[in-house]
Amino acid sequence: MAEELIKVTIDGQEFEVEKGRPLIDVINEKGFGVPSFCYYADLELQASCRMCLVRIEKMPKLQASCVIRCTDGMEVTTKSEEIEKAQRAMGEFLLANHPLDCPVCDRGGECELQEVIFDWGDVEERFDEPKNAHPEKFLSPIVANDQQRCILCKRCTRVCHEWMGEDAIEAGNRGSNTVIGTYGGWLNCSQCGNCIEVCPTGTLLDGVYRHETRPWELDQTITTCTYCSDGCQLSVGSRADEVHRIVARDRYVNGINGEFLCIKGRFAHGFVNHGDRIKTPLIRYKKGGKLIPSTWDDAIAFAAERIKESKKAGVVATSRLTNETVHTLKRFADECRDGTSYAVSDTYDLAPFFENLSAPLCTHKEIRFAETIVVIGGDVDEEQPLTAKQIRQAVRNGGANLILVNDTPSRLSHQASQFIHVNPGTVEAFVLALADPSAADMAAAKMGIGRAEIDKARETANATKGDLIIMFGKELGAEAQAVAANLPSRHENRNVKLHPLAGYCNSVGASDMMPGRKPVADVVAGSDALLIAGSLSDEEFAAADLASKPFVAVQELFLTDTAAAADVVFPAASFAESDGTYTNNDGFVQRVRRAIDPVHQAKPDWMITSLLASELGADFGYSFSASAVFRSIAESHEAYEGLRYPDLKDETRPVRVKHKLVSGADVSGAVASLRDRVSQFPDAADKITEEPRVGHKLHRVTTMTGKTPQFHLLANGNPKPDDLLVSPLFQFNPDGSPKKEEESEVAAG
Amino acid sequence: MSVISEVLRSAKAVISGMKTTISQIPKEKWTVQYPDVPVTVQPRYRGQHLLHVDEMGKEKCVACYLCAAACPSDCIYIEAEDDPRPYEDRIGRDERYAKVYNIDYGRCIFCGYCVEACPKDAITHGYNFELSVYNRADLLKTKDDLLITKQKQSDKYRVALSSEDVDSEFKEV
């Protein structure tokens, strides 16, 4: 987009800038620097802190530069006695009620108020009236609140409203008694913690990392989140081989997500250093026996021996593993034993989608500036929170059309310009209606909607001049995925982009790494020696009957059901302990970096697999370096060709893998079988009208999130304690029932 | 050179040496008979650190890590912990206290920056100077050695009054 360039003079120097940019951005970009608290680039303007004052010629008073747009010939002064006096006075006002308890405050050391007051504040405080004093309290198990530290910049309320659409946090009272609070004093939101992240002071604090250490003591490692497929960039703070907290990357040098993270990315890191981690390799010497701690040499030799003896081996990867691991597992299957089959355990298989992909995947930035977004199925709010935030901002700040096709209402459906509420389990019919207009009537009947709704959606899509983004969730079967992947090629003159709402952090990467994979059930059934990296899903585990298999080796972090049924268990390193890459649903391949050394005797997954391979006589030549594995990936996968770790160094410019595009593929077969499928849907069904509670999937207690005790309380209804001053963890049992008096005394020592 | 001249030269040296010795005998003595007699130290002497408690016996330290940040030899190690109990039950004065507070006297250079940095006046230099140990690992002092309520004070020193002049080295004799 070519913007008109205009001339702006700042402190006597002339600059050419784009017309209409916020003046504060230009001033800071050119290196003059004005302080500000309430200004936040991606949020609505507030202009309440009055710190960014500048003098603009021909304007009667000092102006807040955050609300001024650059115009031609503007002459700006950023430094003068008058401005400094105003800023110092503002600093003094802000401190009038701000306690000087920096040594206890968890924000101390990374506090924007501290920084600004150091530069622009007055050393002397003239107010000697008593300050407002409130004790520090909890707003939820993971959000702590200290009211009087607040400077009322309202970043938190704007973030909650604009990014999350939750309005869980608001300002109450008036004048100098204004405080940030919640309805009913307790937060029943998705607990994303973005209000904590954007808070410039210590008003809202991380309850999980509470009083653990100080920011300058932490080693910050930039890495990629291990939960959903959005692939947010985050910074792991570790000290002495312990992960203490996770925050988003800095706002100005960020990854794809800016300062956004969800509850899982930000708070669910308790599993890394949890005491339940498998400490040593375990061997079950004979069926029905116990798993006995062992050494690495013994475990590898034992596993290799049993795999050699077996008639047919199988490898199962999971989509939480790094590309390096999945690739190594694939090589293990190819090179160690002939006829080894392999599979990837995932919520749904993206193979039919990538085989028919006819347009590049869309990035999260493109979602933010899209004109029309069609979300078919999925549960974006709960499963891909960053995508949901981008959609919400596109609608709210960019005026995008949102067409939501789903059988369950969600938070996002309130913002949709068209919410197509279909019968349960009939989402696929919408894909059919888009691909085959002749079947639209039948599809509309099956979905329980009027034909007009489909026509209206089609009209909106046809009228779109900018980006048209089609997202789809796990409801889509193989044929529907193929048809959806082919949709862009029907509209060649328009910008149609696709965005799969994949299940796990590396669903896309695992799909790339293991072409020609089989379903998990087939691999498990067809082999008598299994190597499983990670754990099978509950359904897969129930179907697999691992106990009856002659030999099962599992690489895991915890003794899950799958690991407990294995004959050899290898302790694997978590995402914070190993190097690697994840490929997210934008197609960006992003680095995972080692923040701490592997705990106990754990080893990275790919290393375990290659050790096992070398025992079986296949040398992969990795010599213990993840970058060598990635080179091997680049050599054997077309989409990753030529990539090396140094290319992935800069998370602000993520690298896209080159997925092969198939344009004009013939999908009439898929359309026909989809039509058959849809025609078998029941004609009438009751619609789901109840909106599930916020966090019904985010707060789920899983193997990983369950290791952070706060998740148990959230999953059990987030009860409000009687005493808000003490952490709910001290007042409730993990199941949400109140602790008895004696118990809490015992717990307190 | 003859033997006689050798003897004479030696006797001359002995006499000149003994003259200095004997002339000092009637003068005031500066030698301290440590450890039989306590040493007098300056009030501002920088000895082993003390972690202070308030009048209710609560530790003053809030584990803000500023001492560790100020320390040029990086000899202070702290682990903070949240203590949400009411004041009466707490270990520290505030809701955050130092679970672990170690000073490695193998590295400490007694510069006093930690004392300067402390916003809560929780750490000061005490007067204990007998820090020698038989095992290098014993130079790492934990909270049990540093807390004012627990530190064993040596009886081998006496703190000078502020009016007292104990700068013997610089005194004109």
Side-chain angles (χ1 to χ4, degrees):
Chain A
M1 241 180 342
E3 288 282 340
E4 193 187 337
L5 288 181
I6 50 163
K7 283 193 170 60
V8 171
T9 314
I10 304 172
D11 287 351
Q13 294 182 49
E14 204 175 83
F15 298 101
E16 274 204 337
V17 298
E18 285 158 20
K19 188 180 178 181
R21 284 192 66 193
L23 182 58
I24 188 168
D25 276 356
V26 175
I27 293 175
N28 285 328
E29 190 185 292
K30 302 297 177 197
F32 293 95
V34 290
S36 78
F37 294 113
C38 67
Y39 177 70
Y40 195 96
D42 210 13
L43 295 176
E44 292 260 292
L45 299 171
Q46 171 86 11
S48 66
C49 74
R50 319 301 297 177
M51 285 301 283
C52 61
L53 294 174
V54 291
R55 163 67 67 192
I56 299 170
E57 289 308 313
K58 296 179 187 151
M59 283 192 165
K61 286 193 278 189
L62 294 181
Q63 297 293 319
S65 58
C66 60
V67 284
I68 300 284
R69 302 274 162 177
C70 289
T71 50
D72 201 11
M74 195 178 246
E75 282 180 38
V76 185
T77 317
T78 64
K79 281 174 191 68
S80 72
E81 208 174 303
E82 172 196 32
I83 296 167
E84 197 179 314
K85 197 179 158 201
Q87 283 168 340
R88 285 194 190 285
M90 273 322 298
E92 200 176 348
F93 269 130
L94 290 178
L95 289 188
N97 251 330
H98 193 92
L100 295 177
D101 59 355
C102 303
V104 191
C105 178
D106 266 341
R107 190 75 64 174
E110 54 179 9
C111 171
E112 288 178 44
L113 183 66
Q114 264 183 343
E115 277 169 32
V116 170
I117 294 298
F118 252 80
D119 291 346
W120 279 279
D122 259 329
V123 182
E124 202 182 335
E125 222 179 319
R126 285 178 292 173
F127 287 95
D128 48 9
E129 289 79 8
K131 297 185 179 196
N132 285 348
H134 305 278
E136 207 165 323
K137 63 176 186 186
F138 281 83
L139 293 180
S140 83
I142 49 180
V143 183
N145 171 230
D146 192 323
Q147 297 175 10
Q148 66 268 19
R149 291 185 192 144
C150 182
I151 56 169
L152 297 173
C153 67
K154 292 199 184 173
R155 277 187 196 173
C156 50
T157 66
R158 283 179 286 158
V159 158
C160 200
H161 178 60
E162 293 174 31
W163 287 6
M164 304 308 295
E166 299 194 55
D167 296 306
I169 196 160
E170 247 320 325
N173 297 346
R174 288 179 157 212
S176 67
N177 292 320
T178 316
V179 288
I180 292 295
T182 60
Y183 303 111
W186 195 244
L187 272 178
N188 273 316
C189 61
S190 73
Q191 318 278 350
C192 63
N194 286 315
C195 48
I196 301 171
E197 183 82 43
V198 297
C199 181
T201 69
T203 310
L204 295 163
L205 293 169
D206 186 336
V208 176
Y209 155 78
R210 192 169 164 73
H211 293 166
E212 267 185 30
T213 175
R214 309 228 85 193
W216 62 83
E217 289 276 324
L218 295 171
D219 295 325
Q220 307 284 355
T221 312
I222 309 308
T223 183
T224 307
C225 181
T226 185
Y227 285 97
C228 81
S229 57
D230 279 336
C232 292
Q233 293 296 298
L234 39 81
S235 166
V236 174
S238 59
R239 179 179 187 236
D241 273 354
E242 195 177 331
V243 171
H244 280 281
R245 69 159 185 187
I246 286 177
V247 290
R249 192 78 171 84
D250 188 279
R251 176 173 343 135
Y252 299 107
V253 274
N254 49 34
I256 56 167
N257 54 316
E259 274 198 311
F260 176 90
L261 283 182
C262 70
I263 173 170
K264 290 204 267 189
R266 194 185 303 277
F267 301 112
H269 51 76
F271 70 91
V272 176
N273 293 95
H274 197 269
D276 288 353
R277 285 282 297 270
I278 300 172
K279 296 183 176 65
T280 63
L282 306 170
I283 302 180
R284 194 193 309 276
Y285 285 97
K286 64 173 198 277
K287 280 285 168 192
K290 276 185 182 167
L291 281 168
I292 295 164
S294 158
T295 61
W296 271 105
D297 289 351
D298 283 354
I300 295 276
F302 183 82
E305 187 66 27
R306 303 295 287 273
I307 291 172
K308 241 183 249 171
E309 284 168 11
S310 69
K311 286 195 234 28
K312 201 157 178 342
V315 171
V316 180
T318 47
S319 33
R320 280 198 195 287
L321 303 169
T322 56
N323 286 328
E324 283 71 4
T325 306
V326 184
H327 175 71
T328 311
L329 287 164
K330 168 89 165 40
R331 283 192 70 175
F332 182 87
D334 288 347
E335 296 171 32
C336 286
R337 290 222 27 196
D338 288 336
T340 304
S341 53
Y342 49 91
V344 176
S345 163
D346 202 338
T347 45
Y348 68 113
D349 194 347
L350 284 164
F353 173 75
F354 281 112
E355 276 159 18
N356 293 288
L357 187 68
S358 61
L361 300 178
C362 88
T363 66
H364 283 96
K365 199 171 178 187
E366 284 166 348
I367 301 176
R368 169 70 180 79
F369 296 103
E371 195 182 323
T372 303
I373 302 166
V374 185
V375 186
I376 307 171
D379 192 350
V380 200
D381 266 321
E382 298 285 330
E383 288 177 337
Q384 282 84 16
L386 174 63
T387 305
K389 175 233 168 193
Q390 297 293 84
I391 295 175
R392 198 168 281 117
Q393 279 200 303
V395 173
R396 197 187 178 286
N397 303 6
N401 305 307
L402 170 63
I403 302 170
L404 198 63
V405 186
N406 211 321
D407 52 10
T408 319
S410 63
R411 254 184 301 152
L412 215 50
S413 54
H414 302 298
Q415 263 143 335
S417 47
Q418 193 187 354
F419 174 42
I420 303 180
H421 193 171
V422 302
N423 286 340
T426 60
V427 166
E428 279 174 303
F430 190 78
V431 179
L432 177 69
L434 283 187
D436 184 4
S438 65
D441 279 321
M442 189 262 287
K446 296 288 181 191
M447 288 191 281
I449 56 171
R451 169 74 200 255
E453 291 228 51
I454 294 176
D455 291 340
K456 192 180 156 202
R458 192 187 294 280
E459 239 167 65
T460 316
N462 285 338
T464 303
K465 299 269 187 309
D467 284 352
L468 168 65
I469 291 170
I470 301 174
M471 301 182 188
F472 66 89
K474 60 170 176 286
E475 288 90 338
L476 265 58
E479 310 94 6
Q481 272 188 44
V483 174
N486 187 252
L487 283 175
S489 66
R490 293 158 184 260
H491 310 278
E492 268 171 9
N493 48 351
R494 275 191 282 125
N495 294 325
V496 185
K497 291 188 169 110
L498 294 165
H499 191 81
L501 299 169
Y504 295 111
C505 59
N506 202 24
S507 288
V508 175
S511 167
D512 293 344
M513 290 301 119
M514 277 201 173
R517 61 192 172 274
K518 291 181 184 157
V520 174
D522 291 3
V523 171
V524 172
S527 42
D528 54 1
L530 273 174
L531 174 62
I532 304 175
S535 288
L536 302 178
S537 70
D538 290 347
E539 303 85 51
E540 285 164 355
F541 177 74
D545 189 22
L546 293 181
S548 69
K549 290 277 154 200
F551 179 71
V552 180
V554 172
Q555 314 175 1
E556 245 299 5
L557 271 66
F558 295 98
L559 211 56
T560 56
D561 289 345
T562 308
D567 300 293
V568 173
V569 182
F570 299 112
S574 72
F575 83 112
E577 299 148 43
S578 48
D579 278 313
T581 53
Y582 288 147
T583 309
N584 76 348
N585 53 15
D586 295 345
F588 287 143
V589 49
Q590 304 187 103
R591 277 298 308 275
V592 178
R593 294 185 180 85
R594 172 189 279 212
I596 58 172
D597 287 340
V599 296
H600 309 299
Q601 287 188 25
K603 285 185 197 291
D605 279 296
W606 59 264
M607 207 185 277
I608 301 171
T609 313
S610 57
L611 282 174
L612 197 53
S614 65
E615 190 74 17
L616 287 165
D619 183 13
F620 295 161
Y622 293 161
S623 39
F624 303 105
S625 104
S627 60
V629 191
F630 194 68
R631 197 179 314 130
S632 164
I633 292 175
E635 278 158 9
S636 48
H637 295 277
E638 211 181 314
Y640 294 73
E641 202 184 338
L643 290 179
R644 293 289 185 272
Y645 272 180
D647 302 328
L648 313 176
K649 198 163 56 177
D650 185 0
E651 70 278 0
T652 58
R653 280 192 291 277
V655 175
R656 192 81 165 274
V657 299
K658 295 176 273 303
H659 285 121
K660 209 170 138 200
L661 298 185
V662 188
S663 73
D666 180 28
V667 290
S668 52
V671 172
S673 61
L674 182 60
R675 194 182 300 134
D676 288 348
R677 255 174 73 82
V678 171
S679 63
Q680 282 161 22
F681 287 160
D683 281 322
D686 289 335
K687 283 187 181 173
I688 303 166
T689 48
E690 200 185 339
E691 191 180 319
R693 84 178 166 84
V694 173
H696 64 283
K697 285 185 186 145
L698 277 173
H699 300 167
R700 216 167 25 186
V701 174
T702 62
T703 309
M704 270 148 78
T705 61
K707 302 297 184 286
T708 304
Q710 281 84 352
F711 272 76
H712 290 272
L713 288 185
L714 291 175
N716 287 306
N718 190 14
K720 183 182 173 184
D722 296 330
D723 187 0
L724 291 177
L725 306 185
V726 178
S727 166
L729 284 185
F730 287 86
Q731 305 183 53
F732 293 107
N733 296 314
D735 63 1
S737 61
K739 269 186 188 168
K740 294 207 183 74
E741 195 60 37
E742 308 88 83
E743 278 176 344
S744 57
E745 263 171 30
V746 172
Chain B
M1 199 185 278
S2 71
V3 177
I4 299 167
S5 67
E6 179 95 337
V7 169
L8 278 177
R9 208 167 57 81
S10 303
K12 198 176 155 196
V14 169
I15 290 165
S16 77
M18 286 311 286
K19 207 166 98 186
T20 312
T21 309
I22 292 163
S23 71
Q24 293 296 323
I25 289 172
K27 292 196 182 158
E28 197 185 347
K29 291 170 191 64
W30 293 99
T31 316
V32 179
Q33 293 302 314
Y34 174 83
D36 297 331
V37 178
V39 187
T40 305
V41 296
Q42 283 277 8
R44 61 168 184 273
Y45 182 75
R46 297 201 289 256
Q48 188 182 8
H49 299 84
L50 284 171
L51 289 178
H52 290 267
V53 295
D54 70 358
E55 56 275 18
M56 297 293 288
K58 309 289 176 195
E59 289 170 20
K60 279 184 172 180
C61 177
V62 295
C64 74
Y65 290 67
L66 282 179
C67 46
C71 182
S73 55
D74 205 7
C75 68
I76 304 180
Y77 177 82
I78 308 172
E79 273 177 32
E81 178 127 304
D82 189 29
D83 193 352
R85 292 173 288 176
Y87 176 79
E88 294 74 38
D89 304 334
R90 271 186 212 145
I91 293 170
R93 192 162 63 170
D94 248 309
E95 58 212 2
R96 165 199 186 117
Y97 75 103
K99 184 175 66 178
V100 175
Y101 194 107
N102 294 347
I103 297 183
D104 183 356
Y105 282 99
R107 297 168 79 169
C108 179
I109 57 167
F110 297 92
C111 63
Y113 282 10
C114 47
V115 179
E116 288 285 316
C118 184
K120 297 279 176 187
D121 288 341
I123 185 169
T124 63
H125 276 291
Y127 301 104
N128 263 355
F129 57 85
E130 292 165 329
L131 290 161
S132 35
V133 286
Y134 287 106
N135 186 336
R136 195 176 292 173
D138 291 345
L139 283 169
L140 189 87
K141 303 289 184 191
T142 63
K143 230 164 77 168
D144 283 344
D145 305 309
L146 298 171
L147 268 176
I148 193 164
T149 48
K150 293 183 180 166
Q151 190 175 100
K152 226 179 112 236
Q153 294 297 316
S154 161
D155 56 0
K156 302 285 166 41
Y157 70 82
R158 181 187 78 86
V159 184
L161 303 171
S162 54
S163 54
E164 210 172 327
D165 190 1
V166 286
D167 274 348
S168 55
E169 293 166 53
F170 308 108
K171 198 172 170 187
E172 290 285 330
V173 179

